[in-house]
C-alpha cells in the first residue's frame, strides 16, 4: 500500500493528473485466464459520467488496454488501462494558481510536495476516480467468477433519505435507470428538484452511498490489522469527499445493549473482520462538492484572505458519481481478499 | 500491510493468542536514537487495564523489551516487546469449543482457517489489543519529538453523551482521572450507575470514542489511496468492536450544503487526505461487548441452535479500554506518515 | 515487491508485452521538485538500442511522459512513461506458437499462467528492459543530486576479458564511444571480429558486465534481509539473461584466508549490507542469447522434440545492451535506499 | 520486504541482538493446519551449532514457540519462535567499543544509525542467522507437503573443492554425518587438517555452499522483478558473509556460446525466473570469517589506525554453519513462491 498503489495480491497502480496528458492504472497480480475487454471498462467509466446531473462537466472518456490482455483474456501480466484527457480547459484555472480553494486539497498538497499542478486540482481532482472505476471493472469480473456481486446506490441525497433494501419502494433495477442512482422511482423527482434549487443558489449538496455485497463466501478478510471492514473503510475514506463510513448497524450499535446488538447483527456479513457468508452492508457519507459558485473566502499563497467564486462546470452533487467508485473500491478490496483466501490453509 | 503487520516504514508485527504463552509485537523501522523504556510501555498497558469498570477480568500485564533498545535508546533494529500470559483460565472455555458465540469471530475464523484456538477467542480476542497499546507507546514517543499529541476519550457511553472539546464541562485532565475515560467529572457518576444497571441485567453497553490530534504539521498523509483519514479509518475498524468512524463534521456533512460545510470544515485538520496543520478530530463507534450473561441463541458446529449464557468475567463495556487502543492506532498511523513525509520532496 | 512492482519508497510498476500496444512504467514515490524531461529518458533508451552490434533488430523507441511532471519538475505524483510498440512483426513468431524455445521462458510462463503471448516472448522478452531503463533515468537524476554516479561496462564479451578500472587501458570515456560498451579502445576491434565470427556460425555469445558506483555516502542499505548487496543481487538476477553476480572480491574471496580477504576488501564499498562511503563494485554474468540461427532441439506443446532454427534479427550478444539495464537497476536500488536512509535516525 | 521483514505471503519478521535478552522471529502468513513442533525448530538450530569445527563458540540454543501453534498444528496466526541468549560474555567486547573491526559492519551500522550495540556485533552478528534457521524450519515443513526438498552442503572449504552431485564420491547422506557438511567422506579429513593449520596461524578460511532443490513443480517464481533466481540471490547475499551467487552453469555461461549454453542448461531448473519442474542448483561464495587472532590494522572512532587482535572463540570457517542458513533462506523463498503460485490463475 502506498500513495498510488493499492492491494497485496490484486495490486492497482493508478496515475494521472486532471489536466495532464492521460490518466490510467496498471493492475499487477490479476490472475491469468480472466475474460476482459475494453467494453467491460467502458461500461464502468460510462456509469461514472455526469449523466443528467445538473451542472456537471462532460467527460467523454475512451479507455484503451495497453497490456496484459491477449486474445480476450488476461495473461497474468500487468493490465494497463489508459484514458487520454481531452477537452480540458486549463485556462479556467489560471485565476486559482495562487489561491487555495476552500475544502480542496490545494493547500495541503502544496504544503506536502512544495508544488502542485493547480489545473483542476491536478492529481487531487475527483477525476482520478476514473482510474479506480477502470481497475474496479477488472476486479468485478474476477469476483463474478465466484458469484460475488457488489452494488451501491445513493441512499440519501441533499438531505432526502431513500428507502433501504428492507423497506418498501427499494428497487435494485431502478438504480441504474436514473442519473441520481437512487433506488426508488418515487425518490428521483424530488431529488432532482431539490438539486436544481441548490444549484440555483450557487450551492452544492452531499449525501450517503450504501453498498451491498452478495455472494461473498465465508472467510474473506484477514485477521487483526487487515480486516475486511478495515480495508473497506480505508477504501471509502480514500475517496476524496468521503467523511465517514459505518458497517451494518454502524453508529446506532453504540447506543444498543449487547443483547439487542447481537440480535440486530445476527445476520451481519462481517464478524471479527472476516466475512460470514451473508450479505455485507455498509454506508459512506459524502460531503457536498466544495466547488461552488457562491462567493467564498479563500486563503492565497501570501496568507491573505480573498473572496472567490469558482467558475467552470462543477457537479452540484457528486454522490451519484461516487456510486460506481464505491463499488469499484469495494470490488478491489474483495478481489484482493478473494485471492488471499486461497492461501489461508495448507 | 498484512493480517498481523502494520505500516510502511514504522512497521509493527503483532502476535499472540489470548490463552497462549505470550503476546507481543516487533517494531521494525523505528528510527535509532529514540529514548524508550519498559516504563513507557507499562504506562500504556496500565491505561488499557480494566480499572474500576464493573465485571472486567483482571489483567496484570508486565511487558519486557527483548531487543532493539540499548542503553535506553533505540538502535534502529527491531524492538520486541513481550507480555507473558498469566492467570488465564482456559477451562472456562471448554464449553464453548463447539459453539460459535454470537457477535464473536468464532465462526468466521474457523471458516477461514479450518480451525481455531477456542480458548478466550484465541487471536481474535480483544486481548490482542495490548500489542497495539505496546507498539503505540513507541509511536507516541516518536511523535512527541515533533510535538504531536494524540488524545482519545469516551465521548458517549451506554447512551450517555459526553461534552465535546468546544462544550462546557469538557476537561482533558479529567479523562485519565476516571476509569470510564469520560472527559467530564459530572458525567462519571451517571455513567457508572447506568453501567451497573446494565450489568445487573446480564447485558452490556457500547459507546463512542473521540480522538483529537494536536501538533501535527501540515503535510502528513499520502495522496490518493493512502490518505491520512483512510489509514486512520482502517486503523479504527481494525479494532474488533468498531462499527464506524467519522472525521470532523462526519456524517452530518452529508446533510449540509457546500457553503455550510466549507465553513464548518474551514478548520478541519485533513484536506485531500493530508493534514492541514490544524487539529485533527475523529470519532469511532463501538458496539456493546457481545459476551453477555443473559441467555442467547448460538449456533454450534453441527449447525444446531443452542441457548448459551457466557460465563467468566467480561467487560460490561469495552469503550473505556478502547480509548488507549484508539490512541495507539492513531499514533502508529501518524508515526508512519511522519517518516513518510521525510521523503516527499527531493 | 511483486512480479512487476519494484522498490519500497521509489516504486516502479512496469508493464507491457513485446508485441502488445505499448510498454512503460509508473514511478510512485519519486520526490517532488526533481527536474525530469523526456530527453533524460530518451538518452537512456538510446543507450539501450542495438547500435552497431551485428544482428540486432532495430528499436526506435520514443518515450512520452503522461503524468507526474509539471513545468519540467516532478510533482510527487506517479510519473508515467510510455513507449508505443511500432514495427514489430508478430507473424515472425507464428511458427513458435506451439514450441518452447530452448533457454527461453516459453515453457515456464505457460506452466505458470496456463497461457502466454507467444509473440516475441510477450512480457518475458528482453524488450521489457526498456521499462527499467526508462525508470532508471529518473532514479539517476535523483542520485545525481547527491553526487552518486552509477557506471557499468562490458568487462568480458565472447570470452575476451577487458581491463578493470585498476588496470592499464581502462578508460571510462571509451565505454560510451563504442557499441560494445567495452572500456578499452584496443579491445573493441578484437571483440567485433569475434562476434562476427560467432554470428556467422549461427551462434551467440555471453559475457560479463561490471558496475562501479561512486559518490554513495556511508549508510545506504538496510540491515539483515534488505542489504544493499542483497537488493543489488536481486536486481541483477531479475534481468533475464543474468546467471550470477559477485561483489568486490567475490567468488575469489572463498579461496582467501581471513587476513588476505580483510586486506583485499579493506576498501570494499559494502560492509554488513550497508555502504561504507567508498566505491561499490560488482560484476554480473550474462549467458549467451538463447535465440540462435543454428538448428536446435526444442520441445513442443505435445512434449515432442522438434528441430528449430530461430528466424528474425536477434542480438548475437546482449551484453552491451545489458550495460544500461544494469546501471538502471542499480540506480533504482540506490534511489530507494537513499530515500530509506532519511528515516534511519530520529 | 524491509530490513527485518521477509516475504510477501509467508512473511518472517526477525529480531534480536547477539548479546541482548533474546532473538527470534514471527511468521505471519503460514497457512493453518500445518504440523509444527519445537522439535522441528530445534533440529534446524542444532544443525546450525558449531559442532566439531575448531574454535567456534558454543551456542546451546533452546527455542520456544510462543504463539501460532495449537494442539500441534498452525492456527493461521503469527508463529512466534524465541531463543533466549544465555552464556554470552559481553565483557569480551569492551575493548572493541570504539574500534571498527575490519570486515565487520561496525563502522557502517554506526554511520547509518548513529549508534550501535558493540557487544558481539549486536544485530549485525552472525548470530542473527538462528532466526532464519528457525523460520526456515516452518518453511521446510510447508514445502514437504508438496514434496519439495532443499539440501545444501559445503562444496568448497579452505580452498579444497568437493565433488559435485554428478561426480564420483558425492554422497548426500555424508553431509549431515560430518561437522564440515562436506558431501564426501574422503574430503573430511583433509579439510579438518587444513582448517587446523589455518587456525594455528591465527587466520580463517572461506568457501562455497551449494544447494539443490528437488521436487519443485513448474511455475514457482514471479515474472520480471521477483524472479525465483532474483529472490534466491537476494536471500543468499542477505547472509552476512556471502559475496556472490551463481545459478546452474553460472559465471561459466558467460564464456559459452549460445548453442553450448542452451545444451548445458537444457535441464536448468529456472527459465525466465520461473521453475521448470527440474532440479534447481545454485552456489554461494562465502568470505573467510573477518574475526581473526592475527594482529590487524583497524580504524577507531577518531579515525586513527590501531592494531588489534580479536579475542574470544570465533569460527575458523563459518561455511559449515552457513549450510543450514542457505537451506533456510532458500526454503523461505520457495514457501513464499509456493503460496504465490496459488493465485497465478483465475
Amino acid at each position: 500500500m502506498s500513495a498510488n498503489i493499492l492491494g497485496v495480491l490484486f495490486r492497482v497502480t493508478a496515475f494521472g493528473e486532471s489536466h495532464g496528458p492521460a490518466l490510467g492504472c496498471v493492475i499487477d497480480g490479476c490472475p491469468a485466464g480472466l475474460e476482459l475487454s475494453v467494453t467491460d471498462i467502458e461500461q464502468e467509466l460510462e456509469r461514472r459520467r455526469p449523466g443528467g446531473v445538473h451542472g456537471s462537466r462532460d467527460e467523454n472518456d475512451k479507455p484503451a488496454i495497453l497490456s496484459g490482455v491477449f486474445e480476450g483474456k488476461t495473461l497474468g501480466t500487468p493490465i494497463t488501462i489508459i484514458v487520454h484527457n481531452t477537452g480540458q480547459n486549463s485556462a479556467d484555472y489560471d485565476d486559482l494558481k495562487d489561491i487555495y480553494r476552500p475544502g480542496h486539497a490545494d493547500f495541503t498538497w502544496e504544503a506536502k510536495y512544495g508544488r502542485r499542478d493547480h489545473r483542476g486540482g491536478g492529481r487531487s481532482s475527483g477525476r482520478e476516480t476514473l482510474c479506480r472505476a477502470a481497475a474496479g471493472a477488472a476486479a468485478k469480473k474476477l469476483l463474478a467468477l465466484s458469484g460475488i456481486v457488489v452494488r451501491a446506490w445513493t441512499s440519501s441525497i441533499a438531505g432526502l433519505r431513500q428507502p433501504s433494501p428492507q423497506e418498501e419502494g427499494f428497487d435494485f433495477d431502478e438504480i441504474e435507470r436514473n442519473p441520481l442512482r437512487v433506488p426508488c422511482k418515487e425518490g428521483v423527482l424530488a431529488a432532482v428538484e431539490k438539486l436544481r434549487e441548490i444549484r440555483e443558489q450557487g450551492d452544492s449538496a452531499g449525501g450517503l452511498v450504501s453498498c451491498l455485497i452478495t455472494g461473498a463466501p465465508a472467510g474473506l478478510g484477514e485477521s487483526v490489522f487487515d480486516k475486511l471492514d478495515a480495508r473497506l473503510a480505508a477504501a471509502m475514506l480514500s475517496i476524496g469527499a468521503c467523511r465517514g463510513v459505518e458497517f451494518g448497524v454502524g453508529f446506532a450499535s453504540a447506543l444498543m445493549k449487547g443483547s439487542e446488538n447481537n440480535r440486530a447483527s445476527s445476520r451481519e456479513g462481517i464478524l471479527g473482520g472476516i466475512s460470514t457468508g451473508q450479505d455485507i452492508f455498509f454506508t459512506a457519507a459524502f460531503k457536498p462538492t466544495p466547488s461552488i459558485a457562491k462567493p467564498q473566502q479563500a486563503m492565497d499563497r501570501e496568507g491573505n484572505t480573498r473572496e472567490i467564486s469558482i467558475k467552470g462546470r462543477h457537479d452540484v452533487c457528486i454522490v451519484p458519481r461516487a456510486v460506481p467508485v464505491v463499488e469499484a473500491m469495494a470490488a478491489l478490496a474483495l478481489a484482493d481478499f478473494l485471492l488471499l483466501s486461497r492461501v489461508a490453509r495448507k
Side-chain angles (χ1 to χ4, degrees), chain A:
Chain A
M1 166 91 122
S2 70
N4 298 284
I5 305 181
L6 186 76
V8 173
L9 291 175
F10 195 97
R11 292 169 292 269
V12 177
T13 303
F15 63 87
E17 280 78 49
S18 174
H19 288 230
L23 294 99
C25 65
V26 184
I27 306 169
D28 184 33
C30 183
L34 181 72
E35 290 190 13
L36 187 69
S37 70
V38 172
T39 310
D40 293 323
I41 296 149
E42 270 173 350
Q43 279 172 0
E44 290 301 317
L45 296 191
E46 182 61 28
R47 292 179 63 216
R48 196 192 145 275
R49 283 187 62 194
V53 185
H54 308 282
S56 302
R57 83 177 184 201
D58 196 32
E59 299 176 21
N60 187 10
D61 298 324
K62 289 283 166 227
I65 297 177
L66 297 185
S67 69
V69 177
F70 178 60
E71 297 177 348
K73 289 183 182 173
T74 57
L75 281 165
T77 63
I79 302 163
T80 307
I81 302 167
I82 196 168
V83 173
H84 285 273
N85 279 322
T86 55
Q88 69 269 38
N89 192 350
S90 302
D92 274 3
Y93 293 89
D94 281 356
D95 297 357
L96 298 172
K97 215 161 129 175
D98 301 312
I99 297 181
Y100 306 127
R101 294 167 298 163
H104 278 286
D106 298 350
F107 167 73
T108 54
W109 277 58
E110 199 163 308
K112 182 176 188 72
Y113 298 112
R115 60 199 311 269
R116 67 184 165 109
D117 179 352
H118 66 279
R119 303 166 306 166
R123 179 133 186 80
S124 76
S125 165
R127 186 152 169 73
E128 59 87 0
T129 58
L130 82 77
C131 311
R132 305 178 189 231
K140 282 181 173 185
K141 296 280 288 203
L142 183 67
L143 295 177
L145 295 180
S146 299
I148 305 172
V149 177
V150 179
R151 277 179 296 191
W153 62 91
T154 300
S155 50
S156 175
I157 185 165
L160 300 174
R161 188 188 169 283
Q162 307 300 316
S164 69
Q166 298 80 25
E167 292 173 332
E168 209 175 331
F170 185 94
D171 176 8
F172 264 123
D173 296 336
E174 177 58 31
I175 298 168
E176 295 300 310
R177 278 195 215 117
N178 70 78
L180 299 186
R181 307 286 178 243
V182 297
C184 161
K185 208 176 168 181
E186 287 67 35
V188 181
L189 208 68
V192 165
E193 192 52 39
K194 186 74 183 286
L195 289 174
R196 189 204 324 265
E197 196 183 296
I198 289 170
R199 181 170 155 69
E200 278 166 6
Q201 296 162 0
D203 221 323
S204 64
L208 303 176
V209 175
S210 291
C211 183
L212 190 79
I213 300 162
T214 55
L220 302 189
E222 299 289 298
S223 57
V224 186
F225 292 135
D226 197 17
K227 291 188 164 82
L228 178 47
D229 32 4
R231 187 94 77 97
L232 287 170
M236 291 308 111
L237 268 301
S238 79
I239 307 173
C242 183
R243 306 311 295 133
V245 66
E246 59 176 10
F247 292 82
V249 186
F251 275 81
S253 74
L255 299 170
M256 291 178 175
K257 291 187 186 166
S259 53
E260 292 168 308
N261 185 69
N262 283 356
R263 262 196 310 277
S265 62
S266 72
R267 297 187 55 84
E268 194 126 315
I270 305 174
L271 274 175
I274 298 171
S275 63
T276 62
Q278 294 181 309
D279 292 355
I280 296 164
F281 177 78
F282 65 86
T283 295
F286 288 87
K287 70 175 183 181
T289 325
S291 291
I292 55 175
K294 231 181 204 177
Q296 305 177 83
Q297 300 302 313
M299 194 172 68
D300 71 11
R301 260 202 180 124
E302 276 71 45
N304 303 318
T305 301
R306 283 160 57 173
E307 190 178 275
I308 61 162
S309 162
I310 295 179
K311 290 182 289 189
R313 292 174 68 79
H314 294 281
D315 301 275
V316 61
C317 181
I318 54 89
V319 170
R321 298 184 68 189
V323 166
V325 180
V326 164
E327 279 183 16
M329 292 305 291
L332 288 166
L334 284 164
D336 203 25
F337 284 127
L338 189 65
L339 295 180
L340 284 166
S341 73
R342 294 191 193 170
V343 296
R345 303 191 193 185
K346 70 166 186 191

